Amino acid sequence: MAAHLPLMVWLSPSFPVGAFAYSHGLEWAFECSDLHDAETLRDWLEALVAHGSLRNDLILFACTARATEAGDDAALAEIAELALALANSAERRLETVTQGNAFVTALRAAWPCEAIERLKRVAPDDIAYPLAVAAASAGHGLPLAASLEAYGLAFVANLVSASVRLGIVGQTDGQRLTAALMPAVQAAAAEAVPATLDDLGGCAFRSDLASLRHETQYSRLFRS
C-alpha cells in the first residue's frame, strides 16, 4: 500500500478524533490580540513547528515508531509516560489524550494491527495522540519520514482551520499560510527522524501561557 494513502485517511478531518474542537491556545492568543493577521499567525505557527509543541510531538512520534518496530515494551512505556508529563496544562493533556484515545479506538475497529495492541498493553490508560499515530504507522509498515511530515502538516492545517473559524485569516490566506509552512514542517520532520528523548525541549512560552489562560477564558469556541 502506498504510504500516503492510510496517512491521508488517518489525518484527515473526517477521521473521528475530534481535532476540530481544539485550537491549541490560539483562541486566547486571538482574544488578547497576539494574533490578528496572517503575518502574526505565521510567526506563531512557525514557532510551534520549530521550537514548540509540534517539535516535541514529532520527536515522540519518531521514538515511538522505532520502539514499536524493535518490540521494546520498556521504551514504549517510558515514552508514553513522558508524553503525558510533557502536556504542560490541563487543556494540552485533554487535547492529546482525547485525540489519542479516539484514534486508537477507530484504528482498532477499521485498521487493526499488533502495534496498537502492544501500545495499549504497555499503556492501558490514556495515550498521547502522536504516539497512537506513530504506533499505527509503524504497525502498517509506513516510512517514518513520510509519516512525520504528514502528522506535522495535519497539525498545522488544523490550527489554520481553527484560525479561519476564529476570523484571524480568511480561507485563501489560510491556504497560503499552510503552503508557506510546508518547508518548516519538512525540516522539523527531518530533524526528528534520528532524534532521541534527549533531544526533547522547546521554547514557545507564549503558546504555553495561552493554553493555560484559555482554561478560564469566558467566551470560547474551542476546548483548548
Side-chain angles (χ1 to χ4, degrees):
M1 187 182 298
H4 65 284
L5 294 180
L7 291 168
M8 287 174 65
V9 174
W10 299 343
L11 297 169
S12 76
S14 65
F15 203 71
V17 299
F20 63 87
Y22 302 97
S23 81
H24 208 70
L26 292 185
E27 188 168 22
W28 180 83
F30 174 60
E31 175 76 14
C32 72
S33 300
D34 279 359
L35 300 178
H36 50 81
D37 58 15
E39 182 179 356
T40 54
L41 180 59
R42 177 172 178 170
D43 287 345
W44 188 280
L45 295 181
E46 281 183 333
L48 291 179
V49 172
H51 309 293
S53 54
L54 180 60
R55 177 183 183 275
N56 281 341
D57 279 356
L58 293 176
I59 292 172
L60 291 167
F61 189 118
C63 292
T64 300
R66 289 195 299 268
T68 299
E69 291 170 354
D72 190 340
D73 287 356
L76 278 175
E78 179 185 4
I79 298 164
E81 184 177 359
L82 181 58
L84 297 183
L86 287 173
N88 53 10
S89 71
E91 289 190 353
R92 286 276 173 90
R93 183 184 175 101
L94 174 72
E95 184 175 329
T96 194
V97 302
T98 303
Q99 292 182 81
N101 293 341
F103 185 91
V104 169
T105 298
L107 202 87
R108 283 171 132 179
W111 302 74
C113 64
E114 173 55 27
I116 283 291
E117 301 308 319
R118 176 185 294 275
L119 182 61
K120 285 300 294 180
R121 285 195 296 271
V122 302
D125 297 321
D126 289 331
I127 300 291
Y129 186 39
L131 276 63
V133 182
S137 298
H140 284 276
L142 306 184
L144 178 57
S147 300
L148 287 165
E149 289 180 353
Y151 182 89
L153 185 58
F155 175 91
V156 167
N158 186 62
L159 293 192
V160 169
S161 174
S163 300
V164 170
R165 282 174 282 158
L166 287 168
I168 302 171
V169 293
Q171 292 186 354
T172 300
D173 278 342
Q175 290 304 309
R176 290 194 186 104
L177 186 55
T178 302
L181 288 169
M182 285 187 68
V185 169
Q186 290 174 313
E191 290 178 4
V193 170
T196 69
L197 297 181
D198 290 338
D199 296 305
L200 288 166
C203 185
F205 180 68
R206 191 70 173 172
S207 174
D208 296 339
L209 195 63
S211 178
L212 290 165
R213 292 188 172 175
H214 186 268
E215 295 177 19
T216 56
Q217 187 170 331
Y218 176 69
S219 177
R220 55 187 185 170
L221 299 174
F222 296 93
R223 299 185 73 188
S224 72

Short mmCIF file of all heavy atoms in Angstrom, two decimals, residues 73-96:
data_model
loop_
_atom_site.label_atom_id
_atom_site.label_comp_id
_atom_site.label_asym_id
_atom_site.label_seq_id
_atom_site.Cartn_x
_atom_site.Cartn_y
_atom_site.Cartn_z
N ASP A 73 9.09 -2.94 24.71
CA ASP A 73 7.98 -2.53 25.55
C ASP A 73 8.41 -1.54 26.63
O ASP A 73 7.66 -0.62 26.97
CB ASP A 73 7.33 -3.74 26.21
CG ASP A 73 6.52 -4.58 25.25
OD1 ASP A 73 6.40 -4.17 24.08
OD2 ASP A 73 6.03 -5.64 25.66
N ALA A 74 9.60 -1.71 27.16
CA ALA A 74 10.07 -0.81 28.21
C ALA A 74 10.22 0.61 27.66
O ALA A 74 9.84 1.58 28.32
CB ALA A 74 11.40 -1.29 28.78
N ALA A 75 10.76 0.73 26.46
CA ALA A 75 10.90 2.04 25.85
C ALA A 75 9.54 2.65 25.55
O ALA A 75 9.32 3.85 25.76
CB ALA A 75 11.73 1.94 24.56
N LEU A 76 8.61 1.85 25.06
CA LEU A 76 7.26 2.35 24.78
C LEU A 76 6.60 2.89 26.04
O LEU A 76 5.96 3.94 26.02
CB LEU A 76 6.41 1.25 24.17
CG LEU A 76 6.54 0.99 22.67
CD1 LEU A 76 5.70 -0.22 22.28
CD2 LEU A 76 6.13 2.21 21.86
N ALA A 77 6.74 2.15 27.12
CA ALA A 77 6.13 2.59 28.38
C ALA A 77 6.74 3.91 28.84
O ALA A 77 6.02 4.81 29.32
CB ALA A 77 6.31 1.51 29.44
N GLU A 78 8.05 4.05 28.70
CA GLU A 78 8.71 5.30 29.10
C GLU A 78 8.24 6.47 28.25
O GLU A 78 7.95 7.55 28.77
CB GLU A 78 10.23 5.14 28.97
CG GLU A 78 10.99 6.41 29.35
CD GLU A 78 12.49 6.30 29.10
OE1 GLU A 78 12.95 5.27 28.56
OE2 GLU A 78 13.20 7.27 29.45
N ILE A 79 8.15 6.26 26.94
CA ILE A 79 7.71 7.32 26.04
C ILE A 79 6.27 7.72 26.33
O ILE A 79 5.93 8.91 26.36
CB ILE A 79 7.86 6.89 24.57
CG1 ILE A 79 9.33 6.61 24.24
CG2 ILE A 79 7.32 7.96 23.63
CD1 ILE A 79 9.52 5.81 22.95
N ALA A 80 5.43 6.72 26.57
CA ALA A 80 4.01 7.00 26.84
C ALA A 80 3.85 7.84 28.10
O ALA A 80 3.05 8.79 28.14
CB ALA A 80 3.24 5.69 26.96
N GLU A 81 4.60 7.51 29.13
CA GLU A 81 4.53 8.27 30.39
C GLU A 81 5.08 9.68 30.21
O GLU A 81 4.49 10.66 30.69
CB GLU A 81 5.31 7.53 31.47
CG GLU A 81 5.23 8.19 32.84
CD GLU A 81 5.95 7.39 33.91
OE1 GLU A 81 6.50 6.32 33.61
OE2 GLU A 81 5.95 7.86 35.07
N LEU A 82 6.20 9.80 29.50
CA LEU A 82 6.81 11.10 29.29
C LEU A 82 5.93 12.01 28.44
O LEU A 82 5.83 13.22 28.70
CB LEU A 82 8.18 10.92 28.62
CG LEU A 82 8.99 12.19 28.34
CD1 LEU A 82 9.25 12.96 29.63
CD2 LEU A 82 10.30 11.83 27.66
N ALA A 83 5.27 11.45 27.44
CA ALA A 83 4.41 12.26 26.56
C ALA A 83 3.31 12.94 27.35
O ALA A 83 2.97 14.11 27.10
CB ALA A 83 3.83 11.39 25.46
N LEU A 84 2.73 12.23 28.31
CA LEU A 84 1.68 12.83 29.13
C LEU A 84 2.26 13.86 30.09
O LEU A 84 1.64 14.90 30.34
CB LEU A 84 0.93 11.75 29.91
CG LEU A 84 0.19 10.71 29.07
CD1 LEU A 84 -0.56 9.74 29.97
CD2 LEU A 84 -0.78 11.37 28.09
N ALA A 85 3.44 13.59 30.61
CA ALA A 85 4.07 14.54 31.53
C ALA A 85 4.43 15.85 30.83
O ALA A 85 4.46 16.91 31.46
CB ALA A 85 5.33 13.92 32.14
N LEU A 86 4.69 15.79 29.53
CA LEU A 86 5.07 17.00 28.78
C LEU A 86 3.88 17.89 28.46
O LEU A 86 4.07 19.02 28.01
CB LEU A 86 5.78 16.61 27.48
CG LEU A 86 7.21 16.07 27.63
CD1 LEU A 86 7.73 15.56 26.29
CD2 LEU A 86 8.13 17.14 28.18
N ALA A 87 2.67 17.40 28.67
CA ALA A 87 1.48 18.24 28.47
C ALA A 87 1.42 19.23 29.62
O ALA A 87 1.07 18.89 30.75
CB ALA A 87 0.23 17.38 28.42
N ASN A 88 1.79 20.47 29.34
CA ASN A 88 2.04 21.44 30.42
C ASN A 88 0.82 22.24 30.84
O ASN A 88 0.95 23.28 31.48
CB ASN A 88 3.19 22.36 30.04
CG ASN A 88 2.97 23.02 28.70
OD1 ASN A 88 1.89 22.94 28.14
ND2 ASN A 88 4.01 23.65 28.18
N SER A 89 -0.36 21.79 30.50
CA SER A 89 -1.59 22.39 31.01
C SER A 89 -2.68 21.32 30.95
O SER A 89 -2.55 20.32 30.24
CB SER A 89 -2.01 23.61 30.19
OG SER A 89 -2.49 23.22 28.91
N ALA A 90 -3.75 21.55 31.69
CA ALA A 90 -4.85 20.58 31.68
C ALA A 90 -5.45 20.45 30.28
O ALA A 90 -5.81 19.34 29.85
CB ALA A 90 -5.93 21.02 32.67
N GLU A 91 -5.53 21.57 29.56
CA GLU A 91 -6.13 21.52 28.23
C GLU A 91 -5.21 20.86 27.21
O GLU A 91 -5.69 20.18 26.29
CB GLU A 91 -6.53 22.92 27.78
CG GLU A 91 -7.73 23.45 28.55
CD GLU A 91 -8.29 24.73 27.96
OE1 GLU A 91 -7.66 25.29 27.03
OE2 GLU A 91 -9.35 25.17 28.42
N ARG A 92 -3.90 21.06 27.34
CA ARG A 92 -2.98 20.35 26.45
C ARG A 92 -3.09 18.84 26.66
O ARG A 92 -3.04 18.06 25.70
CB ARG A 92 -1.54 20.82 26.69
CG ARG A 92 -1.23 22.21 26.16
CD ARG A 92 -0.86 22.17 24.68
NE ARG A 92 -0.73 23.50 24.13
CZ ARG A 92 0.42 24.19 24.11
NH1 ARG A 92 1.51 23.68 24.64
NH2 ARG A 92 0.45 25.40 23.57
N ARG A 93 -3.20 18.44 27.91
CA ARG A 93 -3.36 17.00 28.18
C ARG A 93 -4.69 16.50 27.60
O ARG A 93 -4.74 15.44 26.97
CB ARG A 93 -3.29 16.73 29.69
CG ARG A 93 -3.38 15.25 30.02
CD ARG A 93 -3.40 14.99 31.52
NE ARG A 93 -3.61 13.59 31.81
CZ ARG A 93 -2.66 12.74 32.15
NH1 ARG A 93 -1.41 13.15 32.25
NH2 ARG A 93 -2.94 11.46 32.39
N LEU A 94 -5.76 17.25 27.84
CA LEU A 94 -7.06 16.88 27.28
C LEU A 94 -6.97 16.74 25.76
O LEU A 94 -7.49 15.78 25.18
CB LEU A 94 -8.10 17.94 27.65
CG LEU A 94 -9.48 17.78 27.03
CD1 LEU A 94 -10.22 16.61 27.67
CD2 LEU A 94 -10.30 19.07 27.19
N GLU A 95 -6.32 17.69 25.13
CA GLU A 95 -6.22 17.71 23.67
C GLU A 95 -5.51 16.46 23.15
O GLU A 95 -5.97 15.83 22.19
CB GLU A 95 -5.47 18.97 23.24
CG GLU A 95 -5.35 19.18 21.75
CD GLU A 95 -4.70 20.52 21.42
OE1 GLU A 95 -4.86 21.48 22.22
OE2 GLU A 95 -4.01 20.61 20.39
N THR A 96 -4.41 16.11 23.76
CA THR A 96 -3.63 14.98 23.22
C THR A 96 -4.25 13.64 23.58
O THR A 96 -4.29 12.73 22.75
CB THR A 96 -2.16 15.07 23.66
OG1 THR A 96 -1.38 14.17 22.86
CG2 THR A 96 -1.96 14.75 25.14
#
